[in-house]
Amino acid sequence: MSVVFVAASQLPTPFATFTMHGFLDEETGKEHVALTLGQVNDGAPVLGRLHSECLTGDALFSQRCDCGAQLEAALRAIAKEGRGVLLYLRQEGRGIGLLNKIRAYELQDGGADTVEANERLGFAADQRDYSICQPMLDHLGISAIRLMTNNPRKVKALEGFGVRVAERHPLEIGLNVHNRKYLTTKAGKLGHMLGLQHQEEAE
């Protein structure tokens, strides 16, 4: 794996002062970070999240998704516990990139759902590669995690490279009138483990 550790620094936030670890994927040139709080390399399962970059949701307050709400909820949960990890992965738009995500949004404005839009652009519904997490977690000494996610692919990916998922904590947050169809599509077509309302709407 071509992901290598570069440097670490303190990162004060409104929630806690995290340690920010920078990693470089030498194969793609993408830069990823891990935020840790407390001692995470003692072997006990660590409260954590794998969060794929979403500029629109994380930084621009978009209501088209639940990403920004999930990011904030995960950081708050880690801060409350006083121990945890968040991997921030540069995989915008489920791996298709920012400009292609805007193209997909344009198709969604015309009636396509989030999966159909990606496929019309010639992409898979989800192109993210979670194998980049393995060297990051190895460097941090994390072998077991209490994962904050609704996505079963993340659980399967972590277990596939030897990280034990001791628990799964749902992150059902951020529902609004603009993202209801998006969340229903994630439940129905991507298998996300969302609430009963989304499951029923998907069916």
Side-chain angles (χ1 to χ4, degrees), residues 120-165:
R120 287 184 195 176
L121 292 172
F123 300 109
D126 190 341
Q127 299 200 159
R128 288 174 291 183
D129 176 12
Y130 296 112
S131 66
I132 59 176
C133 301
Q134 181 176 8
M136 299 171 71
L137 294 172
D138 285 348
H139 174 82
L140 298 171
I142 296 173
S143 58
I145 193 165
R146 295 158 48 219
L147 189 64
M148 293 181 281
T149 189
N150 305 321
N151 187 349
R153 288 189 66 237
K154 292 181 180 180
V155 175
K156 184 177 180 180
L158 287 173
E159 292 178 337
F161 55 74
V163 175
R164 182 169 66 90
V165 179

Side-chain angles (χ1 to χ4, degrees), residues 4 10 20 24 26 33 37 40 50 59 61 100-101 123 128 144 156 161-162 178-179 182 201-202:
V4 296
Q10 296 298 291
M20 179 169 60
L24 173 66
E26 296 177 319
V33 299
L37 185 65
V40 296
L50 315 182
F61 312 105
N100 281 322
K101 183 167 85 169
F123 300 109
R128 288 174 291 183
K156 184 177 180 180
F161 55 74
H178 303 286
N179 67 17
Y182 164 81
E201 288 179 4

Side-chain angles (χ1 to χ4, degrees), residues 60-177:
L60 301 179
F61 312 105
S62 170
Q63 298 291 287
R64 298 186 72 135
C65 63
D66 54 349
C67 303
Q70 289 185 321
L71 176 62
E72 181 173 339
L75 292 175
R76 286 187 183 277
I78 291 169
K80 181 179 180 180
E81 182 142 321
R83 177 177 180 268
V85 61
L86 184 138
L87 303 191
Y88 196 86
L89 310 171
R90 307 297 298 279
Q91 303 196 102
E92 181 77 49
R94 296 201 301 275
I96 68 174
L98 178 60
L99 295 183
N100 281 322
K101 183 167 85 169
I102 296 172
R103 292 187 178 102
Y105 277 172
E106 186 176 38
L107 292 173
Q108 290 173 47
D109 290 343
D113 66 37
T114 182
V115 170
E116 292 167 346
N118 276 29
E119 291 174 344
R120 287 184 195 176
L121 292 172
F123 300 109
D126 190 341
Q127 299 200 159
R128 288 174 291 183
D129 176 12
Y130 296 112
S131 66
I132 59 176
C133 301
Q134 181 176 8
M136 299 171 71
L137 294 172
D138 285 348
H139 174 82
L140 298 171
I142 296 173
S143 58
I145 193 165
R146 295 158 48 219
L147 189 64
M148 293 181 281
T149 189
N150 305 321
N151 187 349
R153 288 189 66 237
K154 292 181 180 180
V155 175
K156 184 177 180 180
L158 287 173
E159 292 178 337
F161 55 74
V163 175
R164 182 169 66 90
V165 179
E167 300 173 12
R168 184 187 71 86
H169 296 264
L171 268 183
E172 296 179 28
I173 191 169
L175 172 66
N176 63 73
V177 296

